[in-house]
Amino acid sequence: NVVFSDFKIFDESVVPGAKGSPLRQQINFTDRIRLKHKQSVFTIEFASLDYNAPEKNQYMYMLEGFDKDWVHAGNRHFVTYTNLDAGKYTFLLKGSNSDGVWNDEIRKINIRIRPPWYKTKLAILLFLAAIVAFIVLYIKQRERQTRHDNAVLQQKIDEAQAELKGKARKLEEQQEEIRRRDEEEADIRFL
């Protein structure tokens, strides 16, 4: 049989139950580990319970969600993973005795690495909501500005039309005055 003998974060053994520790109990009795995104560099140490020739014990492991196939570790009794992405993983381990007989029992630990706060679903939703709110506010501001600009433009048009009407009236009055003078002159000439 194989056992998990130690769990390290950044090469420091994790003390079960300590403040901030992802382990509540000793690693061999743990079936689930939750890590913060800053704890994504970790080492799992393991051992075989065959003591006849421990240097001949062999190990194979796989981190589901990361490794594509079993990794033959030879007699190396630890594995380190660095900078894993946030997500769910399952570490699988099996071993052989000094005679090369592989154990059928596979040991496993579920590992979850939480994303940083700004990559959580809630944060992403809040960012999207903020972007949508900004776009809506921008559109409403542009609509208000457009209405204001249209009102100013309409006022200028109305003023220009009033001015044109005034000038047209003056022009008509002048034409009427000229016509009246012409008629008076014509009357005077006629007399």
Side-chain angles (χ1 to χ4, degrees):
N1 288 338
V2 290
V3 293
F4 296 112
S5 57
D6 198 7
F7 183 75
K8 297 179 178 181
I9 297 177
F10 292 107
D11 264 349
E12 296 282 328
S13 290
V14 174
V15 178
K19 183 178 181 181
S21 173
L23 295 179
R24 296 178 191 255
Q25 54 190 356
Q26 203 274 336
I27 185 69
N28 195 50
F29 303 109
T30 299
D31 61 350
R32 177 176 325 180
I33 300 173
R34 290 185 181 184
L35 300 172
K36 299 174 184 172
H37 72 280
K38 291 181 179 181
Q39 297 173 321
S40 62
V41 177
F42 59 87
T43 300
I44 299 174
E45 292 185 4
F46 36 84
S48 176
L49 297 180
D50 178 29
Y51 301 109
N52 289 334
E55 68 281 355
K56 292 183 180 181
N57 294 339
Q58 301 285 307
Y59 304 96
M60 289 179 75
Y61 62 84
M62 177 170 52
L63 186 63
E64 286 182 338
F66 182 75
D67 294 322
K68 296 191 185 325
D69 202 359
W70 286 93
V71 177
H72 191 275
N75 64 354
R76 184 171 43 99
H77 58 91
F78 67 92
V79 60
T80 299
Y81 289 96
T82 59
N83 296 320
L84 291 173
D85 292 332
K88 295 179 181 179
Y89 303 92
T90 302
F91 181 74
L92 304 171
L93 174 67
K94 59 184 177 178
S96 75
N97 62 15
S98 57
D99 296 326
V101 177
W102 289 91
N103 186 349
D104 291 334
E105 182 183 336
I106 296 175
R107 293 293 310 271
K108 70 178 181 176
I109 297 178
N110 293 314
I111 300 171
R112 179 173 182 228
I113 301 174
R114 289 182 284 173
W117 68 269
Y118 53 87
K119 287 187 178 180
T120 62
K121 290 177 184 177
L122 178 62
I124 291 169
L125 285 174
L126 290 175
F127 291 147
L128 289 174
I131 290 169
V132 168
F134 176 76
I135 291 170
V136 167
L137 289 174
Y138 177 77
I139 290 170
K140 288 192 179 280
Q141 175 61 28
R142 291 293 299 149
E143 287 174 349
R144 265 192 300 253
Q145 186 65 41
T146 301
R147 281 194 299 274
H148 176 265
D149 292 347
N150 286 344
V152 168
L153 183 60
Q154 187 62 47
Q155 183 181 0
K156 287 181 180 180
I157 289 171
D158 292 344
E159 288 172 0
Q161 284 178 339
E163 185 179 333
L164 283 174
K165 284 180 183 176
K167 287 183 178 182
R169 243 188 328 254
K170 262 187 176 178
L171 189 58
E172 286 175 7
E173 289 171 2
Q174 287 174 352
Q175 285 176 342
E176 187 61 36
E177 181 69 30
I178 291 172
R179 203 174 323 132
R180 202 178 31 224
R181 263 193 260 151
D182 284 347
E183 286 176 4
E184 286 176 5
E185 283 178 15
D187 286 344
I188 295 177
R189 268 189 240 149
F190 186 68
L191 290 173

